């Protein structure tokens, strides 16, 4: 059989399996999810997204709130940052260069590509400004360019920090500045070989002396061997001045967004977990990130649930694995997190917003929305609620995919949509 024909046959088998009756299984959210038995097979179900333009539609938000597109025609917006003067920085780009290991990877790359924008990544930072505070961002200008797949953003002590896919860099920043005054200064290199997971999440400690960078694994569950996982699947703590770094927490398969909870000073992350154990395993999660803690990858998931695919096993590591704080559901692909402020309104005054990019490997898609996880006394406390929906409509069409979510202290939620290449802003109605 010729290779092209073989690939076509495999694709057809895949499409048939995606109609194989998994059903719309209810996923468990919260601190104690009910985990099903693992399901192993040659191929997981893969649902092809059907992207269409928003047109005159827009995401749905709760009663009493408005949502507005404040920037369009961007080049793959990933994460956003609100500067002290209210300007918004948008990181735009696409990275990754991992080789495909097996036929499933080839098929998956085709499926994923169909659900993503066809625009070329900008490798830049764009600045948005609403000078008169009327909600219209009349200035959209390139702040810095020629970056390498920028993703994570942080601001501290007069410096703008950017996590490229290969290095953490910084720019000097003066209040009101609309363009970088020069090229960035490297703080430290970041692991970039293979880059199966290329995104580098970033946040700063409250005093700005430490930076935390999330570095994803180089595989689903060590298919490339443990030697390529050195310095990966973990959060680094980096000295902002010297670039010296050390592991802060490990066993986090792909920590895609980091944020410090303002009341407690505790570091939190959203993490994308492993695949190929069925449509309802393994839950992506929101968790506090404790110094020195191990969160299971690759040996176990959700605490001490052993994953036999990781060889050789390490029972001591499994026994030490910390159970995450809050399940978001399997395959939702959480890529953004930020903590709310009272200005967002009573119902959403205390808690975390989470941007869910959406699944590609479930027959019944999940995610494609922004949720709110209520907190009390610095901990999750209650059921998550939908905050911004409609990115994937009831018609099966996908109009947008949320990535980063950023709370503007003045009382707005900024949402980066990397399918529609749009930045949305949600505010309370007057």
């Amino acid at each position: 059989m010729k290779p092209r024909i073989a690939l076509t046959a495999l694709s057809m088998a895949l499409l048939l399996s995606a109609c194989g009756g998994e059903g719309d299984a209810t996923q468990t959210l919260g601190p104690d999810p009910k985990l099903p038995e693992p399901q192993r097979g040659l191929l997981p179900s893969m649902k092809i997204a059907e992207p269409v333009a928003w047109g005159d539609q827009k995401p749905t938000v709760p009663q009493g709130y408005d949502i507005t597109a404040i920037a369009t025609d961007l080049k793959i917006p990933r994460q956003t940052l609100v500067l002290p003067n209210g300007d918004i920085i948008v990181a735009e780009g696409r990275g990754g260069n991992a080789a495909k290991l097996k036929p499933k990877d080839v098929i998956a790359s085709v499926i994923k590509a169909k659900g993503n924008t066809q625009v070329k990544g900008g490798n830049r930072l764009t600045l948005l400004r609403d000078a008169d505070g009327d909600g219209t961002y009349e200035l959209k200008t390139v702040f810095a360019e020629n970056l390498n797949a920028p993703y994570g953003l942080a601001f501290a002590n007069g410096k703008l920090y950017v996590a490229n896919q290969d290095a953490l860099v910084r720019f000097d920043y003066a209040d009101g500045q609309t363009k970088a005054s020069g090229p960035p200064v490297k703080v430290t290199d970041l692991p970039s070989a293979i880059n199966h997971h290329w995104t580098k999440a970033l946040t700063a400690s409250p005093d700005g002396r430490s930076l935390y960078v999330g570095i994803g694994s180089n595989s689903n569950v060590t298919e490339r061997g443990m030697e390529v996982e050195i310095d990966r699947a973990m959060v680094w703590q980096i000295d902002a001045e010297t670039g010296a770094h050390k592991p802060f927490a490990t066993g986090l398969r792909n920590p895609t967004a980091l944020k410090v909870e303002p009341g407690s000073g505790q570091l939190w992350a959203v993490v994308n977990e492993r695949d190929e154990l069925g449509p309802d395993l393994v839950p992506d999660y929101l968790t506090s990130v404790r110094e020195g803690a191990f969160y299971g990858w690759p040996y176990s998931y959700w605490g001490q649930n052993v994953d036999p695919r990781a060889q050789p096993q390490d029972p001591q590591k499994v026994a030490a694995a910390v159970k995450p704080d809050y399940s978001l559901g399997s395959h939702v692909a959480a890529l953004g997190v930020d903590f709310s402020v009272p200005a967002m309104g009573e119902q959403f005054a205390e808690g975390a917003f989470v941007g869910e990019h959406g699944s590609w490997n479930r027959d019944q898609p999940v995610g494609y929305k922004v949720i709110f996880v209520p907190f009390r006394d610095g901990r999750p406390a209650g059921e998550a609620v939908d905050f911004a929906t409609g990115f994937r409509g009831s018609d099966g069409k996908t109009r947008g995919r949320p990535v980063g979510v950023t709370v503007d202290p003045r009382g707005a939620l900024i949402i980066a949509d990397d399918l529609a290449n749009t930045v949305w802003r949600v505010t309370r109605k007057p």
Side-chain angles (χ1 to χ4, degrees), residues 162-176:
V162 182
N164 288 323
Q165 69 171 339
D166 62 347
L168 176 65
V169 301
R170 68 171 178 248
F171 294 91
D172 290 329
Y173 173 79
D175 189 43

Side-chain angles (χ1 to χ4, degrees), residues 55-275:
D56 58 359
Q57 299 186 50
K58 57 185 180 181
T60 301
V61 293
Q63 186 174 0
Y65 290 78
D66 280 324
I67 185 166
T68 305
I70 60 172
T72 58
D73 299 319
L74 293 166
K75 295 185 176 181
I76 315 186
R78 300 290 191 174
Q79 300 288 338
T80 60
L81 174 73
V82 178
L83 293 169
N85 70 340
D87 289 350
I88 298 172
I89 293 289
V90 185
E92 301 164 82
R94 174 185 282 147
N97 51 21
K100 310 298 185 292
L101 289 178
K102 45 191 176 180
K104 186 270 300 184
D105 299 329
V106 177
I107 301 298
S109 67
V110 174
I111 300 296
K112 291 179 181 179
K114 288 182 178 295
N116 294 330
T117 180
Q118 302 307 304
V119 170
K120 183 179 179 181
N123 288 325
R124 67 185 187 184
L125 306 180
T126 289
L127 181 140
L128 309 177
R129 173 173 293 173
D130 172 14
D132 56 9
D134 66 351
T136 299
Y137 286 71
E138 63 278 351
L139 177 65
K140 182 177 78 170
T141 187
V142 175
F143 182 87
E145 51 192 343
N146 300 319
L147 299 174
N148 187 2
Y151 184 81
L153 299 168
F155 179 81
N157 300 330
K159 309 288 186 184
L160 173 61
Y161 294 91
V162 182
N164 288 323
Q165 69 171 339
D166 62 347
L168 176 65
V169 301
R170 68 171 178 248
F171 294 91
D172 290 329
Y173 173 79
D175 189 43
Q177 190 174 344
T178 59
K179 187 175 178 62
S181 55
V185 174
K186 183 190 292 185
V187 178
T188 190
D189 289 319
L190 299 173
S192 59
I194 301 176
N195 257 358
H196 176 86
H197 290 123
W198 65 268
T199 59
K200 303 299 194 292
L202 175 64
T203 197
S205 63
D207 61 10
R209 297 175 61 183
S210 292
L211 300 164
Y212 300 97
V213 174
I215 302 166
S217 67
N218 250 335
S219 63
N220 180 40
V221 59
T222 70
E223 293 88 348
R224 291 184 169 90
M226 286 299 291
E227 62 274 9
V228 302
E229 303 296 351
I230 295 172
D231 287 332
R232 286 188 170 268
M234 65 176 62
V235 172
W236 280 13
Q237 183 180 30
I238 301 172
D239 186 295
E241 187 63 32
T242 68
H245 55 84
K246 63 180 182 179
F248 184 79
T250 58
L252 300 142
R253 177 177 175 266
N254 189 18
T256 54
L258 300 167
K259 190 61 66 170
V260 172
E261 199 276 323
S264 64
Q266 172 66 54
L267 179 66
W268 287 76
V270 288
V271 178
N272 285 192
E273 255 288 359
R274 67 204 76 191
D275 298 323

Side-chain angles (χ1 to χ4, degrees), residues 252 267-271 285-289 295 322-326:
L252 300 142
L267 179 66
W268 287 76
V270 288
V271 178
Y285 57 82
L286 167 70
T287 193
S288 56
V289 182
Y295 289 82
V322 173
K323 187 176 76 171
D325 289 287
Y326 199 93

